[in-house]
Amino acid sequence: MTSAFSCCMGWCGDSGSGHVTLKEMPTVQLDTHHMGTDVVIVKSGRRICGTGGCLANAPLHQNKSYFELKIQSSGVWGVGVATQKANLNQVPMGRDAHSLVLRHDGTIYHNNEEKNRLPANSLPQEGDIVGITYDHVEMNIYLNGKNMNCPASGIRGTVYPFVFVDDSAILDCQFSDFYHTPPTGFQKILFEQQIF
């Protein structure tokens, strides 16, 4: 019994026993290597504050991705998808071809053009949960689990989840363990090796 317990605990004398060490899968979070110079990332890569934007550390390779954010403190903010070419020091985002973003005022911008707008009575407020779906063609917005039916498209290339803040805004990103169930067919962001 003792020898079986010792082997289970990794104390076997035979180092070539054929056991394979399992790797822990990486966690999707905000990427401190791809953020604006005045951005602060805390809470294990989930909270953004300061001024500027930040990409997540995983591109959206899968067909249908979903992620959320909770508005902890209102101000100037935005959420959407962006390429690594996006200027993360420029606020608000959506001024160029490298970001497609819902802004705090309910407008969705890409390439300095308003692509869509949330209904006037549905502007996100402090404490609200904003969900984002992306299927490589269009981005859709959900507010507290409800589809806002305001799709937007136009961005090209490899995109990443993206958020920006200014004027005292604080956002918490959820890349798993969502507040609301993702829409049918959409799921949390997977790293490329998790897809195959």
Side-chain angles (χ1 to χ4, degrees), residues 2 4 13 21 24 28 31 42 48 63 69 95 103 112 114 118 121 133 140 143-144 156 169 171 191 193-194:
T2 304
T21 304
E24 188 173 316
V28 178
D31 188 351
V42 294
I48 182 173
N63 290 334
L69 69 81
R95 295 181 190 175
R103 295 177 177 174
N112 212 29
E114 185 176 316
L118 294 178
N121 61 348
T133 60
N140 268 291
L143 182 59
N144 297 318
R156 302 280 184 253
L171 306 176
F191 281 91
Q193 67 264 29
Q194 293 175 308

Side-chain angles (χ1 to χ4, degrees), residues 36-62:
T37 55
D38 293 326
V39 168
V40 178
I41 304 296
V42 294
K43 294 228 173 199
S44 301
R46 290 186 41 235
R47 177 170 285 179
I48 182 173
C49 50
T51 298
C54 186
L55 301 176
N57 63 345
L60 301 179
H61 285 301
Q62 71 213 60

Side-chain angles (χ1 to χ4, degrees), residues 50-185:
T51 298
C54 186
L55 301 176
N57 63 345
L60 301 179
H61 285 301
Q62 71 213 60
N63 290 334
K64 294 184 173 188
S65 304
Y66 179 78
F67 62 99
E68 294 176 334
L69 69 81
K70 182 173 185 177
I71 304 166
Q72 294 292 356
S73 180
S74 57
V76 174
W77 58 268
V79 60
V81 295
T83 70
Q84 287 187 332
K85 293 180 180 179
N87 180 351
L88 301 175
N89 291 304
Q90 179 182 8
V91 174
M93 299 292 291
R95 295 181 190 175
D96 59 27
H98 305 297
S99 61
L100 175 62
V101 60
L102 167 69
R103 295 177 177 174
H104 70 282
D105 63 0
T107 58
I108 302 172
Y109 266 82
H110 170 67
N111 211 16
N112 212 29
E113 178 184 335
E114 185 176 316
K115 293 293 195 171
N116 212 330
R117 177 182 289 268
L118 294 178
N121 61 348
S122 298
L123 294 180
Q125 305 294 318
E126 199 168 290
D128 283 345
I129 308 299
V130 177
I132 301 291
T133 60
Y134 185 71
D135 65 5
H136 293 282
V137 175
E138 67 183 23
M139 180 178 80
N140 268 291
I141 312 299
Y142 291 75
L143 182 59
N144 297 318
K146 181 182 177 192
N147 188 345
M148 294 289 96
N149 296 307
C150 56
S153 60
I155 195 164
R156 302 280 184 253
T158 301
V159 297
Y160 294 75
F162 161 78
V163 290
F164 76 80
V165 291
D166 195 14
D167 195 28
S168 302
I170 300 173
L171 306 176
D172 284 354
C173 298
Q174 286 294 123
F175 298 109
S176 63
D177 303 322
F178 301 118
Y179 292 99
H180 299 281
T181 303
T184 303

